[in-house]
Amino acid sequence: MTAHDTTTGDLAQQPVGQFLDDLASRTPAPGGGATAALHAAQAAALLTMVARYTTGEKYADSAELVARIIEGAEAKRAAALRLAAEDAAAFTAVTQAYGLPRAMPQDKERRSAAIAAALAAAAGPPAEVIRVAHSLMTLAEALLPVANRNVITDVAAAGEAARAAATTARLNVEINLGGIRDEAARSDLLGVLEQVDPLIRRAAAVERSVRTALAAKPTP
């Protein structure tokens, strides 16, 4: 695969090493936005794994909740992978807009409008990644009290991955904000950004809870 393949929507089929090669190359995409989405996908996968270890007779009382968590986490994993591909495509469109002719006044006007539209579109996938990360934190908080104690560290790992997804995605929204002319779109994006700091605190709380549980766990 080439770097262009990250825009096709088949990122789930791409080897990790190839993605990292593409990420390290001097190409417009993939970049930080796709990385944010992959953080979210990893968070979702970790939650699904923990939930699948939290099944069977011992966890019968939590079976319905665990089933909902698996369903929700798998849906968010698919969404995150889709957003990684969408982010790569959107950023490529931004670079193409910046490359439009600007020799004549009418060219400059068309180029400026194209850049503004491309930046607004490019802010969409990372903003959605923040929303996905928010949902994943809610799943992590719901799973932690009932999770198999042997894999509770992976709940904290999922929270940290969701935090990384949100903070990385926030940067990718912020870098586009300055060029977005639509005030309604700007207002919506700013509202999404307000979710990030609370999410960071929630991830820290999950980590503290896990570390406390580990400290209280008797030595085998």
Side-chain angles (χ1 to χ4, degrees), residues 139-162:
L139 293 176
E141 291 163 340
L143 179 59
L144 182 57
V146 302
N148 184 324
R149 297 293 96 179
N150 293 318
V151 286
I152 58 169
T153 54
D154 289 305
V155 180
E160 289 302 299

Side-chain angles (χ1 to χ4, degrees), residues 69-178:
I69 290 171
I70 291 172
E71 181 180 5
E74 287 293 84
K76 294 306 176 185
R77 176 156 63 115
L81 289 172
R82 172 180 54 78
L83 289 166
E86 289 180 4
D87 182 88
F91 191 75
T92 298
V94 170
T95 62
Q96 291 171 344
Y98 274 106
L100 291 173
R102 51 179 171 177
M104 304 296 290
Q106 59 269 33
D107 291 335
K108 290 181 180 179
E109 186 175 338
R110 280 195 294 268
R111 177 177 177 273
S112 179
I115 289 171
L119 290 174
E128 190 59 32
V129 167
I130 293 171
R131 294 186 178 99
V132 168
H134 183 275
S135 296
L136 290 169
M137 275 307 311
T138 299
L139 293 176
E141 291 163 340
L143 179 59
L144 182 57
V146 302
N148 184 324
R149 297 293 96 179
N150 293 318
V151 286
I152 58 169
T153 54
D154 289 305
V155 180
E160 289 302 299
R163 175 196 57 76
T167 55
T168 304
R170 174 169 61 182
L171 293 169
N172 283 271
V173 173
E174 290 174 339
I175 197 171
N176 292 313
L177 271 175

Side-chain angles (χ1 to χ4, degrees), residues 55-62 148-150:
T55 56
E57 185 177 350
K58 181 178 178 180
Y59 304 100
D61 290 346
S62 306
N148 184 324
R149 297 293 96 179
N150 293 318

Side-chain angles (χ1 to χ4, degrees), residues 181-205:
R181 300 174 179 176
D182 187 326
E183 287 303 317
R186 284 178 57 84
S187 178
D188 180 62
L189 291 169
L190 289 169
V192 174
L193 294 181
E194 290 177 355
Q195 298 180 22
V196 178
D197 284 337
L199 188 149
I200 293 170
R201 292 191 289 271
R202 292 167 68 190

